Amino acid sequence: DAKTTQPPSMDCAEGRAANLPCNHSTISGNEYVYWYRQIHSQGPQYIIHGLKNNETNEMASLIITEDRKSSTLILPHATLRDTAVYYCIVRPQGGGADGLTFGKGTHLIIQP
Amino acid sequence: EAEVAQSPRYKITEKSQAVAFWCDPISGHATLYWYRQILGQGPELLVQFQDESVVDDSQLPKDRFSAERLKGVDSTLKIQPAELGDSAMYLCASSLAFPSGTQYFGPGTRLLVL
């Protein structure tokens, strides 16, 4: 069972910041939050991950609340190519079997 | 930029036939994963390898699916016999670190069973 809850769809205007929320209220202390996206008919693409501190890379920023029960992925200046399904995944660190458990994600549509 | 390679990209087969998919992970990545993605759903793990050893195949339908990674590099996923319900995207991913390395996905093989 997926441990995250995401809105099924969101719209954002091109050039604006896209803020994608994710709830993970049952997250454990050793679990990271990962974000992937999947553009139509392609394989999932890694975006960013974090444990408790906010993270930023060339693609996006990840804001994790202090209690770690929710997070927000921010695409600072959305373009039409950012239209995709975005998956928020909670993943334990350590152990052997570590396949990702995907939910249904958020379908983000960037409007021109 | 190094990428996971998969072939074929598309496959059409008839039910009861055998079908095979190939994956070449990013060079140096010891951990390899196969996922299946049914249309409209997120990917689901089928099998995980660490080098040539199976770490997790609990979700692999072993009556018809098999996977191997004989030399710990590239991998083959086979279905025999294929059923209509096997129509899906088959994704391969690899990671450098074990455990818990970031997984990088290939483009996938889209299978249609008629």
Side-chain angles (χ1 to χ4, degrees):
Chain A
D1 293 335
K3 297 182 179 180
T4 61
T5 303
Q6 299 178 252
S9 65
M10 292 182 62
D11 288 348
C12 179
E14 188 178 18
R16 304 297 293 269
N19 295 274
L20 292 91
C22 179
N23 285 317
H24 31 78
S25 58
T26 61
I27 193 169
S28 300
N30 71 335
E31 290 182 318
Y32 280 67
V33 179
Y34 278 74
W35 283 84
Y36 281 78
R37 73 180 182 183
Q38 189 170 25
I39 296 169
H40 182 63
S41 295
Q42 298 182 19
Q45 178 188 23
Y46 167 76
I47 302 173
I48 199 167
H49 73 281
L51 183 61
K52 52 184 176 182
N53 296 322
N54 297 338
E55 302 288 344
T56 295
N57 63 20
E58 66 277 5
M59 289 184 67
S61 294
L62 173 60
I63 309 299
I64 302 174
T65 58
E66 192 169 346
D67 63 5
R68 302 186 69 238
K69 293 185 177 182
S70 66
S71 61
T72 302
L73 178 74
I74 301 172
L75 308 179
H77 304 288
T79 70
L80 297 178
R81 287 179 291 182
D82 292 321
T83 292
V85 178
Y86 287 76
Y87 295 100
C88 169
I89 299 166
V90 166
R91 184 188 190 199
Q93 296 299 97
D98 62 354
L100 298 173
T101 300
F102 289 80
K104 294 187 176 181
T106 295
H107 188 193
L108 175 67
I109 300 172
I110 306 301
Q111 304 282 3
Chain B
E1 182 176 311
E3 296 180 341
V4 176
Q6 291 189 246
S7 67
R9 293 293 311 277
Y10 304 92
K11 180 70 177 179
I12 300 174
T13 191
E14 294 184 344
K15 64 179 182 178
S16 80
Q17 296 298 304
V19 62
F21 314 126
W22 177 79
C23 172
D24 191 13
I26 294 171
S27 179
H29 283 200
T31 311
L32 184 147
Y33 309 79
W34 284 101
Y35 290 81
R36 176 173 61 184
Q37 184 174 24
I38 296 170
L39 193 63
Q41 300 182 18
E44 296 179 313
L45 180 71
L46 291 174
V47 62
Q48 176 187 346
F49 289 92
Q50 175 63 21
D51 298 311
E52 66 276 6
S53 300
V54 173
V55 174
D56 181 8
D57 64 356
S58 58
Q59 301 304 310
L60 188 71
K62 299 182 185 64
D63 57 336
R64 297 184 300 106
F65 285 65
S66 65
E68 61 183 17
R69 195 184 183 200
L70 295 177
K71 297 183 178 179
V73 181
D74 57 340
S75 175
T76 301
L77 178 69
K78 297 179 181 177
I79 308 175
Q80 182 174 17
E83 296 181 352
L84 297 178
D86 296 331
S87 294
M89 172 84 89
Y90 290 83
L91 294 157
C92 180
S94 69
S95 68
L96 177 62
F98 179 78
S100 307
T102 297
Q103 296 180 28
Y104 297 93
F105 285 78
T109 296
R110 184 166 295 282
L111 173 67
L112 178 60
V113 182
L114 301 176

